[in-house]
Amino acid sequence: MYQALYRKWRPKTFDEVVGQEHITEILKKQVLTDRPSHAYLFTGTRGTGKTTCAKLLAKAVNCLNPVGGNPCNQCEICRGIDSGAILDVTEMDAASNNGVDDVRAIRDEAVYAPVAARRRVYIIDEVHMLSKAAFNALLKTIEEPPEHLIFILATTELYKVPATILSRCQRYSFHRVPPELIRTRLLQVAQAEGLELDEEAAGLLSRLADGALRDALSLLDQCSGAKIDRERVLSAIGLAENDEICRLLEALQRGDSDSALEILDSLYQAGKDVASVLEQLASLHRDLLLRFVAPGSGGALMSGGYGDGTLEQLARNTDVGSLLAALDVLEEADAALDRSSDRRLCAELCLVRLCGLKPAAYIPAPQPAARVPAPAPETAPQPAPAAERETAPPAPQPAEPVQPEEDPAAPEVSWEAILNRLEDSLFMGDYVMLSDQANVTGKQEGEMLLLTARNDAALQTMEQNLDLIRSAAEKLAGRPVPVRVQAAEGVGGDRFAAVNDLFSQFGFKEEK
Ligand SMILES: [Zn+2]
């Protein structure tokens, strides 16, 4: 019988668990010193190794010859637990056994000494699914556990576990496995299994798995049966429609609702769910947004479902403002789909709305090369984007802005001058931070003042004081000066800070 790859390659020792060393090292130590806790809580997203580690721990604390804290997998106890012959280790899925009776049965049994092994171990998966009464029954057992008893609770939803339980457990949070580690593991497994997996496909699979090694191996399974390259992955996993999704976005960008609805219809006729069409469309928008706001570090965050050339092409016809607005529309539609009695109509309406979103409806994202000078607001106190938005002509790029190379009338607004002006109004700590060139540098680019944060703290401080900085610049220049904050390349790149900056530039309210 064929055994799924993720089962076959499930780690047999703590050392084989990928990406959770911060947990496995501690567990091994507890086994080595024979001082395990009575109650563990393993949390983290699916497929990161919670149940695997629970089973390993159950074996290791009972193993006759543990090896450096790992179960030996050879003694009669290890083998008995693996085969299910030893009943002292019990696994329960709270998703299907969530009643108080299920837990009471455990409680009644738990007081008895184990039969074959040294310790009774109860593994309760998805523990957050237990009913309130069941949690109470469990709590009584965890409060005063007999010496031989160990509970290992696992959950993907920590916040649903009562505090009374939390406080009695040693808590370990499993991290998403970084794509790089998943990629390496996939290549190892593929080689051992004789699967032809190329580097690009491995990279794509590792990103699609979203931190879950188990999912990555399942995806690899799905693709096996032929040489596994990028195309194979895309077709096996049903991402081949990505081309269609790109065509759909092109139609939306043209405002061509005819073609957009036609493409949706053909995907629908081919058996595709409308929700997943919108989901893929959102994912494509997200990839494009990352290209704009995190050109340096964004690559690693992208879905990987689209080629670079395709994204570049699509990016030419959009901007950050439209992308954010489109994502809003898509998110609303996604929520509405669940309630809607006519899902298809709901998706169609969403596409029609997206057709109405054109870059012209928003202020174009600042392009370093061509800057459209504000239409000389003179004394208007709030010449804000809002006013411009209403009167802006549909064409976002009015040919070449007629702008003298050096405008002698435009006063110099240097970062230093702004700092001088702000010395008294900024908090002392912020002032010291901002005035150090190692943290922030400023330069004028055309009309705009471009501030570059050299580290995360500087970025944050600038964000917090952006209003002050803007108004100081305005006072110095005698007119509003566009101030743009960006993170230097290589800076940890809090991309949300970058997005928030853009939010405020476009006059959106930052959402927390
Ligand atoms: Zn053993």
Side-chain angles (χ1 to χ4, degrees):
M1 201 186 91
Y2 182 74
Q3 196 182 14
L5 284 180
Y6 82 87
R7 279 187 192 283
K8 187 168 170 189
W9 289 88
R10 175 172 277 173
K12 295 187 174 58
T13 64
F14 287 124
D15 295 337
E16 288 172 22
V17 176
V18 175
Q20 313 295 351
E21 289 78 9
H22 61 292
I23 294 171
T24 51
E25 287 305 313
I26 299 175
L27 296 180
K28 281 197 296 182
K29 238 171 239 145
Q30 294 186 349
V31 172
L32 275 172
T33 53
D34 199 26
R35 295 182 66 176
S37 163
H38 284 295
Y40 294 87
L41 181 64
F42 290 174
T43 72
T45 53
R46 55 191 295 275
T48 48
K50 298 184 298 294
T51 316
T52 297
C53 281
K55 285 179 177 160
L56 288 174
L57 183 60
K59 273 197 283 180
V61 295
N62 282 311
C63 176
L64 300 177
N65 311 298
V67 185
N70 291 302
C72 76
N73 291 311
Q74 279 160 13
C75 70
E76 55 188 282
I77 301 286
C78 281
R79 283 186 293 142
I81 293 175
D82 277 339
S83 70
I86 292 181
L87 300 175
D88 297 324
V89 173
T90 311
E91 201 183 334
M92 179 179 118
D93 186 357
S96 41
N97 309 281
N98 58 2
V100 64
D101 291 339
D102 298 301
V103 174
R104 279 207 188 115
I106 290 180
R107 198 182 63 188
D108 294 344
E109 181 187 72
V111 293
Y112 297 109
V115 180
R118 284 197 299 145
R119 294 185 170 95
R120 267 188 196 281
V121 183
Y122 291 95
I123 299 170
I124 306 183
D125 254 332
E126 302 300 335
V127 70
H128 62 272
M129 303 283 280
L130 288 182
S131 67
K132 201 173 165 221
F135 265 126
N136 284 335
L138 179 64
L139 186 61
K140 291 222 171 70
T141 321
I142 292 184
E143 264 172 341
E144 288 171 27
E147 193 51 37
H148 61 258
L149 191 61
I150 296 179
F151 276 101
I152 307 174
L153 316 176
T155 181
T156 48
E157 295 176 53
L158 180 63
Y159 63 96
K160 287 187 185 163
V161 179
T164 43
I165 298 277
L166 292 183
S167 65
R168 285 172 176 80
C169 294
Q170 272 189 14
R171 198 192 309 174
Y172 295 90
S173 55
F174 285 67
H175 297 165
R176 280 200 166 80
V177 184
E180 192 45 43
L181 290 180
I182 295 186
R183 199 183 68 93
T184 311
R185 183 71 174 161
L186 285 175
L187 288 167
Q188 278 171 1
V189 169
Q191 197 183 19
E193 291 284 329
L195 299 172
E196 258 188 280
L197 170 68
D198 74 21
E199 294 265 346
E200 196 189 2
L204 178 53
L205 285 171
S206 70
R207 287 199 297 274
L208 291 170
D210 194 25
L213 188 53
R214 183 178 66 201
D215 291 358
L217 289 169
S218 296
L219 291 172
L220 182 62
D221 242 342
Q222 266 183 49
C223 300
S224 63
K227 184 174 184 303
I228 305 171
D229 53 16
R230 187 185 157 83
E231 278 63 45
R232 171 76 185 165
V233 173
L234 292 180
S235 69
I237 297 174
L239 291 178
E241 307 106 349
N242 276 16
D243 285 345
E244 288 296 287
I245 300 292
C246 289
R247 274 187 52 221
L248 179 55
L249 179 55
E250 278 166 8
L252 296 174
Q253 288 182 340
R254 291 195 305 271
D256 179 354
S257 50
D258 242 2
S259 305
L261 294 178
E262 214 170 274
I263 295 169
L264 178 71
D265 182 60
S266 76
L267 288 167
Y268 184 79
Q269 299 302 343
K272 183 119 175 129
D273 179 41
V274 290
S276 73
V277 174
L278 296 189
E279 198 177 294
Q280 273 178 271
L281 197 54
S283 157
L284 175 55
H285 276 83
R286 178 179 171 276
D287 280 359
L288 287 169
L289 187 61
L290 282 172
R291 271 181 77 90
F292 279 105
V293 301
S297 57
L301 304 168
M302 291 202 191
S303 70
Y306 304 93
D308 254 357
T310 311
L311 289 176
E312 196 183 319
Q313 183 68 37
L314 290 169
R316 274 189 213 138
N317 299 318
T318 188
D319 55 46
V320 173
S322 323
L323 289 170
L324 289 170
L327 280 166
D328 275 349
V329 172
L330 283 163
E331 199 180 314
E332 260 174 51
D334 183 49
L337 267 179
D338 289 339
R339 304 187 298 268
S340 174
S341 55
D342 189 341
R343 296 161 56 79
R344 189 173 167 189
L345 176 66
C346 191
E348 286 170 349
L349 288 176
C350 170
L351 293 187
V352 172
R353 286 179 69 194
L354 289 173
C355 273
L357 287 180
K358 299 218 196 72
Y362 294 83
I363 308 300
Q367 302 290 328
R371 192 139 318 283
V372 188
E378 314 257 45
T379 53
Q382 284 288 348
E388 201 178 321
R389 190 183 307 167
E390 283 162 17
T391 53
Q397 298 287 4
E400 284 297 312
V402 194
Q403 192 180 14
E405 283 178 13
E406 281 280 290
D407 182 357
E412 179 81 2
V413 184
S414 71
W415 175 227
E416 287 70 29
I418 291 176
L419 279 171
N420 279 338
R421 202 180 172 98
L422 286 178
E423 187 170 358
D424 293 328
S425 35
L426 281 172
F427 282 116
M428 189 42 107
D430 288 357
Y431 176 77
V432 172
M433 147 79 79
L434 294 179
S435 52
D436 188 339
Q437 290 239 333
N439 298 323
V440 180
T441 50
K443 72 169 173 180
Q444 223 167 347
E445 270 194 7
E447 287 254 312
M448 180 176 64
L449 179 67
L450 184 64
L451 300 176
T452 306
R454 306 265 155 213
N455 52 54
D456 288 340
L459 191 59
Q460 212 179 355
T461 310
M462 272 198 284
E463 291 256 279
Q464 282 159 1
N465 295 297
L466 207 50
D467 286 344
L468 276 176
I469 295 171
R470 288 215 168 99
S471 78
E474 182 172 348
K475 278 181 192 134
L476 277 168
R479 61 179 161 81
V481 178
V483 177
R484 174 154 188 226
V485 175
Q486 67 171 18
E489 203 168 337
V491 170
D494 182 353
R495 64 200 166 88
F496 295 109
V499 172
N500 287 338
D501 169 47
L502 285 157
F503 262 113
S504 56
Q505 272 193 39
F506 289 105
F508 292 98
K509 262 267 181 280
E510 178 182 340
E511 284 180 61
K512 275 264 156 81

